Amino acid sequence: GTANIGVVGLAVMGSNLARNLASREGNTVAVFNRSYEKTETLVTEHPEAGFIPAKTYEEFAASLQKPRTAIIMVKAGRPTDAVIESLMEVFEPGDIIVDGGNAYFPDTIRREKAVRETGINFVGAGISGGEEGALLGPSIMPGGSDESWVTLGPILKSIAAVAEGEPCVTHVGHDGAGHFVKMVHNGIEYADMQLIAEAYDLIRRGTGKSPAEIAEIFAEWNRGELESYLIEITAEVLRQIDAETGKPLVDVIVDQAGAKGTGAWTVQTALSLGVPVSGIAEATFARSLSSHPEQRAAAASLPGPDEAFTVADQDAFIEDVRQALYASKIVAYSQGFDEIRAGAAEYNWQIDLGAVSKIWRAGCIIRAQFLNRIADAYAAEPELPALLTAPYFADALSRGQAAWRRVVIAAAQAGIPAPAFSSSLSYYDGIRADRLPAALVQGQRDFFGAHTYKRIDKEGTFHTLWSGDRSEIEAEDTH
Ligand code: NDP
């Protein structure tokens, strides 16, 4: 074989990734697709790439140098399993199969285990950045073995996005670590988008400014600490005028947000790990709420506040919203990184959180200036108990918290939903609280279920005889 890398699955993502690979010095790319038409089209349209097309899995394997390395870019789920099975029939021990699709990380753990038993390496790699990222440079989150990283590392580094001279790829951890981190990336993306949407809604309803005027506000924010791809594209979307009606496009788009499931995975996983990712959860639920038109129609007659919403000082309000957005964003990222740390502990992955923040600086949807601050925080203190306690973020929160409270109060009084802003503020107040009413919850649990409690003043586990004389006894620890 003469190709050093192969791609299986030549739909949008696969063909762009194959072209990206072929454009880099030193790569020769073998390509295969279940139906040959896609292969033929790609090879004909891009003669400059020098692709080596294969009609069968046998031909594909024969065209690859050993150890063979192939990246799968097909539909997640059953199709991915089908392709892995076919590749296992033609590959040999030491070869490397990479799944670059959006797999659910438990599937990746299962596949890695099954493939490893044959001596073939399996790497689940999260690839972010969509079509354009695949072509020009994505952020890549590979898991898998150390052995496979030796061969795969240089190839992935050659195609990844570059941030401040560093390629946006790192060996995240073993087996499913890469897909886990990609999942949390998408969850954070949900939170980021919802926060921006709440900021837009509050400004629009509070000031009466047009979408185009608000686009200018976002463009301005994009020159400061909020600088990010999502803020940038928000300005673009808000500026867009619908050709058919002459109205702002945002006003003719149906207000029901779709989802492909990665936000839900992030929240489900967080629930099982016991990590409160309330920002991501509220963002995911906000999409669900929007997508139930029958319920919304039935509830539309429920009353809101009596008075109309007006803000006295528009510029001051807009600045408050900016600060609320930044503070809430810090909370969302802090929660997301908590989930990665908890996942690493649960599944025995050695994940460098600073390295993760660095590979998100370019190529992916949540790319932002902000990620440099996260990298700095973990560089200064790798065992940081929570991102929001790092000096830079703690300072930003203490500067922004008054504005954040004013915005949440204004939203509540005006009857404007701000689930991500307000839940993030509640999280902030919860995590920094000296005493929480969790003590009362423990009392309730002990009352109805004899679940016991600890005391602040002595060691041991206790139970009150609620249905007896209400004296306290020492109990066995049952949590
Ligand atoms: P699709 O998810 O639409 O998948 C189409 C490809 O899957 C085709 O090559 C198709 O082959 C192949 N396929 C489907 N079923 C089978 C099967 N049973 N056996 C073999 N091949 C099969 O393609 P995309 O390019 O949109 O996405 C590829 C992957 O990348 C997906 O996992 C997706 O979730 C992920 N993705 C990631 C994005 C990102 O931003 N990171 C964005 C979009 C997607 P055929 O032509 O023969 O039908």
Side-chain angles (χ1 to χ4, degrees):
T2 51
N4 65 319
I5 180 83
V7 177
V8 179
L10 303 175
V12 191
M13 290 294 289
S15 55
N16 279 320
L17 200 73
R19 287 173 57 201
N20 183 353
L21 282 161
S23 72
R24 311 293 166 151
E25 189 73 36
N27 286 338
T28 304
V29 187
V31 287
F32 174 83
N33 193 69
R34 178 179 57 174
S35 48
Y36 190 64
E37 301 94 271
K38 280 202 181 75
T39 312
E40 208 167 21
T41 308
L42 177 68
V43 171
T44 318
E45 285 179 359
H46 297 282
E48 78 288 351
F51 288 127
I52 304 181
K55 282 196 169 120
T56 63
Y57 280 107
E58 286 77 12
E59 260 183 60
F60 180 69
S63 67
L64 286 163
Q65 292 165 14
K66 295 178 189 177
R68 299 180 184 87
T69 307
I71 305 180
I72 306 174
M73 288 304 286
V74 303
K75 264 193 191 14
R78 273 300 305 151
T80 301
D81 283 311
V83 173
I84 293 169
E85 280 159 31
S86 302
L87 284 175
M88 280 167 71
E89 284 169 19
V90 294
F91 274 23
E92 292 169 314
D95 291 351
I96 304 164
I97 300 174
V98 183
D99 174 18
N102 265 336
Y104 184 37
F105 78 93
D107 288 337
T108 304
I109 293 176
R110 165 179 63 78
R111 288 170 181 148
E112 199 273 341
K113 194 160 177 285
V115 175
R116 184 175 2 113
E117 278 167 14
T118 69
I120 298 171
N121 291 290
F122 181 80
V123 177
I127 300 184
S128 177
E131 213 179 309
E132 192 186 274
L135 182 62
L136 303 174
S139 169
I140 312 176
M141 294 149 254
S145 66
D146 298 337
E147 184 195 13
S148 50
W149 177 242
V150 174
T151 307
L152 201 56
I155 298 171
L156 296 182
K157 281 177 185 166
S158 78
I159 58 163
V162 176
E164 297 177 19
E166 297 173 87
C168 290
V169 56
T170 187
H171 184 206
V172 173
H174 294 156
D175 58 72
H179 276 136
F180 185 97
V181 164
K182 170 70 195 322
M183 173 188 77
V184 176
H185 162 283
N186 285 32
I188 292 175
E189 175 185 315
Y190 275 54
D192 239 339
M193 292 168 71
Q194 175 65 22
L195 291 168
I196 293 170
E198 289 177 16
Y200 150 76
D201 198 28
L202 283 158
I203 293 175
R204 187 154 185 200
R205 290 164 70 171
T207 67
K209 286 186 189 295
S210 70
E213 289 169 324
I214 300 171
E216 294 315 311
I217 295 170
F218 279 104
E220 174 63 35
W221 289 359
N222 202 38
R223 289 189 278 274
E225 61 193 357
L226 278 167
E227 198 236 286
S228 64
Y229 172 71
L230 282 170
I231 293 279
E232 179 191 327
I233 66 159
T234 298
E236 298 284 332
V237 174
L238 289 175
R239 240 179 238 132
Q240 184 73 13
I241 299 297
D242 174 47
E244 215 171 299
T245 58
K247 290 180 181 167
L249 179 67
V250 73
D251 288 348
V252 299
I253 297 177
V254 172
D255 62 344
Q256 296 171 24
K260 279 165 70 184
T262 46
W265 288 347
T266 312
V267 179
Q268 284 162 350
T269 304
L271 286 171
S272 4
L273 292 170
V275 182
V277 292
S278 49
I280 298 169
E282 287 297 347
T284 309
F285 288 141
R287 291 195 191 187
S288 316
L289 185 150
S290 77
S291 302
H292 287 99
E294 3 42 69
Q295 281 190 322
R296 289 175 60 191
S301 57
L302 295 173
D306 294 331
E307 279 158 51
F309 180 41
T310 50
V311 298
D313 182 339
Q314 295 204 348
D315 289 343
F317 179 68
I318 292 165
E319 174 56 17
D320 276 0
V321 172
R322 190 191 68 80
Q323 293 198 28
L325 175 54
Y326 195 59
S328 304
K329 182 176 164 119
I330 293 171
V331 165
Y333 279 70
S334 190
Q335 294 176 338
F337 277 85
D338 279 351
E339 180 165 354
I340 295 175
R341 198 183 28 193
E346 174 73 18
Y347 297 101
N348 280 314
W349 298 319
Q350 256 50 137
I351 301 184
D352 176 342
L353 298 177
V356 168
S357 68
K358 283 187 166 185
I359 64 169
W360 288 348
R361 289 179 301 173
C364 64
I365 306 299
I366 65 170
R367 59 185 184 259
Q369 265 307 317
F370 185 72
L371 289 155
N372 277 312
R373 306 286 80 77
I374 299 180
D376 293 344
Y378 284 115
E381 199 183 340
E383 299 303 321
L384 202 58
L387 192 56
L388 47 63
T389 63
Y392 174 85
F393 296 115
D395 181 55
L397 290 167
S398 63
R399 276 184 287 113
Q401 59 133 353
W404 197 6
R405 294 182 197 288
R406 285 193 294 273
V407 170
V408 170
I409 290 166
Q413 280 180 336
I416 298 173
F421 274 15
S422 48
S423 73
S424 303
L425 179 57
S426 285
Y427 174 90
Y428 171 75
D429 284 331
I431 203 90
R432 65 176 196 83
D434 178 34
R435 285 277 295 165
L436 286 169
L440 176 57
V441 172
Q442 283 297 81
Q444 294 164 331
R445 295 179 69 237
D446 189 58
F447 187 101
F448 66 69
H451 293 302
T452 75
Y453 51 86
K454 307 263 189 210
R455 294 183 56 100
I456 59 169
D457 52 1
K458 55 183 172 191
E459 290 290 305
T461 301
F462 303 91
H463 168 57
T464 291
L465 299 168
W466 295 104
S467 47
D469 65 359
R470 305 213 161 176
S471 61
E472 184 178 76
I473 58 165
E474 200 148 350
E476 245 169 61
D477 189 353
T478 58
H479 296 284

